[in-house]
Amino acid sequence: MREFFGLEGPFNKYGGMIADMVLVSLMWLLFCLPIITIGASTTAMFYVTTRRIADREGYITSDFWFAFKNNMRKATILWLIIFVVLVLLFMNLLLLTNEEVTFEGGIFGIVLPAQLVFLFMISIMSVYIYPLMARFDMGLVQVVKSAFYMSVRHFLTSVCCVVMAVAAFFLFLRFPPLILVAPGLYAWLASYMIMKVFKKYRPEMDRDPAAEIAEIEAKKAEERWKRERETPEPSDSEE
């Protein structure tokens, strides 16, 4: 029992994780209130969760505010673009499914699937857009290109994250108090999978700075040793 409640015990470890999820969720909700800042708030949330998974030191509140402030412009622009596209898609879908609206020929069988595919692609791309902005210094076009590539290249991860997001949304609708933990829980679970994808392209990501410095010093020492071995020793000249 003492081990269970100890500093390194499961109670302290998982209790602290749940508390962090609640704090992240509350901050995400607070910074989403103007609606226009949802993108920046989501980016900040993923900045916090991906760093915690990598055991990077820091405080949740200061890390959240740092990422929110630094990504405000880019995240807001992308969020507004995505929001407008989603509104247009949903309006088109409502129009297509309206019984009073008729379409000539077979256009219905083409337009409706195309709209659904486009909606699905935006959904899986959104899985990577905000984490990419949170952890990498990229332009808007590069973020979209990278998100599209990763969403297709790592299709299973993309679908799993979308399913988790949809499940979290419906759980919230059924049990509204879950809003206090659902955003942070989703971000934490999604970050585990997303970070595995990121590290396929950036293996050195989130490495311990001390270990990296030690490795660099070891390589320099090895290079000096090789140069010393390759340099011939001076011989005594006979008079």
Side-chain angles (χ1 to χ4, degrees):
M1 185 62 70
R2 183 178 298 176
E3 293 179 356
F4 181 81
F5 289 100
L7 291 176
E8 301 296 331
F11 180 81
N12 186 57
K13 178 181 178 181
Y14 294 108
M17 184 179 296
I18 293 172
D20 288 344
M21 289 180 188
V22 172
L23 179 57
V24 168
S25 298
L26 290 174
M27 293 194 69
W28 180 77
L29 288 170
L30 177 64
F31 283 82
C32 280
L33 287 180
I35 305 299
I36 196 175
T37 58
I38 288 178
S41 184
T42 304
T43 302
M45 178 172 65
F46 275 106
Y47 180 79
V48 171
T49 54
T50 53
R51 282 176 61 86
R52 289 300 174 278
I53 287 171
D55 293 326
R56 298 295 297 270
E57 295 182 359
Y59 298 98
I60 289 179
T61 52
S62 58
D63 284 350
F64 192 100
W65 172 246
F66 170 81
F68 181 86
K69 181 177 58 176
N70 287 343
N71 294 283
M72 181 68 178
R73 179 178 172 275
K74 286 193 302 184
T76 301
I77 292 173
L78 272 179
W79 158 245
L80 290 176
I81 294 172
I82 292 172
F83 179 75
V84 170
V85 171
L86 288 176
V87 169
L88 292 175
L89 281 174
F90 279 115
M91 289 177 63
N92 287 339
L93 289 173
L94 289 175
L95 180 64
L96 290 170
T97 54
N98 192 337
E99 296 180 356
E100 298 179 359
V101 179
T102 58
F103 294 89
E104 297 180 358
I107 191 172
F108 180 82
I110 298 174
V111 176
L112 181 60
Q115 298 281 328
L116 293 174
V117 170
F118 196 27
L119 178 61
F120 177 73
M121 286 304 302
I122 291 177
S123 299
I124 61 175
M125 285 176 62
S126 297
V127 168
Y128 301 95
I129 283 176
Y130 300 109
L132 279 168
M133 282 192 291
R135 300 308 309 273
F136 300 102
D137 185 14
M138 293 180 174
L140 292 176
V141 175
Q142 186 61 37
V143 168
V144 174
K145 285 183 178 179
S146 299
F148 175 77
Y149 175 80
M150 290 180 179
S151 64
V152 176
R153 177 68 177 80
H154 306 279
F155 187 74
L156 183 59
T157 298
S158 308
V159 172
C160 286
C161 289
V162 171
V163 169
M164 284 193 304
V166 173
F169 176 73
F170 280 105
L171 281 174
F172 158 67
L173 292 179
R174 188 171 180 83
F175 305 103
L178 285 178
I179 193 65
L180 298 177
V181 69
L185 176 61
Y186 164 74
W188 233 279
L189 294 175
S191 292
Y192 277 106
M193 294 185 283
I194 292 169
M195 286 298 290
K196 288 181 179 179
V197 172
F198 286 175
K199 288 188 176 182
K200 291 180 183 292
Y201 305 95
R202 292 283 298 274
E204 77 283 0
M205 186 177 180
D206 284 330
R207 291 187 61 188
D208 182 8
E212 191 170 354
I213 292 172
E215 184 176 339
I216 293 173
E217 293 297 330
K219 287 182 179 179
K220 289 182 179 179
E222 184 178 357
E223 290 175 358
R224 285 196 299 268
W225 179 75
K226 287 181 179 179
R227 286 197 299 268
E228 290 175 357
R229 289 196 60 183
E230 292 173 355
T231 303
E233 296 181 0
S235 57
D236 296 334
S237 57
E238 294 182 359
E239 296 182 357

